Every structure is written in C-alpha cells, then in structure tokens.
Amino acid sequence: MKGSVIKYERDNIDTDVILPGPYLKIHDYAELATHAMEGLDKDFHKRVKPGDFIVAGKNFGCGSSREHAPIALSYSGIKAVLALSFARIFYRNAVDGAFLLPIEIDESAYKDISDSDSLEVDISKNEIQNLTKNKVYKIKPFPELIGKIIEAGGLFNYKP
C-alpha cells in the first residue's frame, strides 16, 4: 500500500471526533465519509485522497464502540491508521469489517513520520518505507488470528 500521511500529533483521538454523533443515523457510507474527522479537522475531507494513511498517537479510536468510525475513514480513502496504540474495540471493528488496517508503530517512527510524507506499507515484511525521507520503520506484527482475519478479508470471510 502506498499513500500520503495525514498526521495528528495527539493521543486519545476518540470515535466522537472521528465521526461525530449526529451523523450516526446516516446509512450511506459515501456520505458518512464526508464527515470523517469532522470533530477534529474540518478540512479532512478536502485533504484526504484514496490510499492515504492517518498517523496518530496513543489510544486511537477510544470512546464508544461505534463501527461507523472505521467505516467513515475507509470510505474517505484511508487504507490504514498508523498509531502508537489503539482502543481495542476500534481495532477489532477495523479488522473484523475489513475497513482499514490498524497498524501499531513505535515512538521513533511516530516522531519521524511527518504530515504529507509518502509511505509504502508492507505488512508481509512488517515494515513501512518512508519514500520521502528514505527510511524504513518496523511495525508491530499482527497476532496470528488477526493476520488470518485480515488475509480472509474480514471476520465474515474468515473460516478457521
């Protein structure tokens, strides 16, 4: 996967800012996407392009268990969120629904990756190549079961 970075240098980005509550009644995923990150970044929908990545701090996706958050990000064009850590319910909603990849990075990668950097993510090698800075970062490997669910294209397609 290749894309550009939209970076938010903060922890605890919750589902209420990823997709504010008033939009939960929208069932058209494309329309949901126009409100992604609206609680934090009013211009997100103008900046995001298909294949982009969000880079953020700790506990990304905390808050309510709404699956709307990874859906809205996915349909806006985000292919993966690279964060120091994830709220477990966001992590599983993203993986189980095959909406986007929740990729855990370490502190040095988080500090080094800048807004607008061009990245290539290779989960088979557990690495990110920063094409802008010509650097390579390791990512935390997915647990075996999560890797199988991702490979299957989500929980509904997974056959143990």
Side-chain angles (χ1 to χ4, degrees):
M1 297 182 286
K2 286 185 183 179
S4 294
V5 170
I6 298 174
K7 187 171 184 178
Y8 299 104
E9 294 191 49
R10 61 184 279 188
D11 297 335
N12 302 311
I13 294 176
D14 64 53
T15 55
D16 289 326
V17 299
I18 296 170
L19 188 73
Y23 304 114
L24 296 178
K25 60 185 176 252
I26 297 171
H27 299 289
D28 177 347
Y29 292 169
E31 186 179 347
L32 267 184
T34 66
H35 300 289
M37 301 303 288
E38 192 173 292
L40 177 64
D41 181 355
K42 298 277 186 214
D43 293 325
F44 176 80
H45 69 282
K46 295 176 186 173
R47 298 180 346 149
V48 68
K49 297 176 297 307
D52 280 354
F53 306 110
I54 288 177
V55 173
K58 298 174 188 164
N59 203 26
F60 187 90
C62 58
S64 72
S65 62
R66 63 183 69 151
E67 67 275 6
H68 300 73
I71 292 169
L73 291 176
S74 174
Y75 277 77
S76 72
I78 296 296
K79 292 298 175 207
V81 176
L82 287 57
L84 293 171
S85 64
F86 291 88
R88 300 324 297 166
I89 192 71
F90 178 91
Y91 184 94
R92 285 307 301 255
N93 281 339
V95 169
D96 291 351
F99 299 118
L100 55 84
L101 292 177
I103 296 174
E104 292 187 35
I105 57 175
D106 65 23
E107 188 76 33
S108 62
Y110 173 68
K111 287 180 179 178
D112 194 58
I113 297 170
S114 301
D115 196 53
S116 301
D117 279 359
S118 180
L119 304 180
E120 184 171 3
V121 176
D122 186 340
I123 61 170
S124 69
K125 294 181 182 177
N126 293 317
E127 68 180 29
I128 301 165
Q129 184 175 5
N130 188 325
L131 303 172
T132 303
K133 296 179 178 171
N134 197 28
K135 292 186 175 182
V136 176
Y137 317 105
K138 285 298 195 186
I139 62 176
K140 182 178 178 182
F142 290 107
E144 183 180 357
L145 177 59
I146 297 297
K148 289 177 181 180
I149 293 170
I150 290 168
E151 190 176 299
L155 187 60
F156 291 121
N157 296 325
Y158 173 66
K159 306 286 188 255

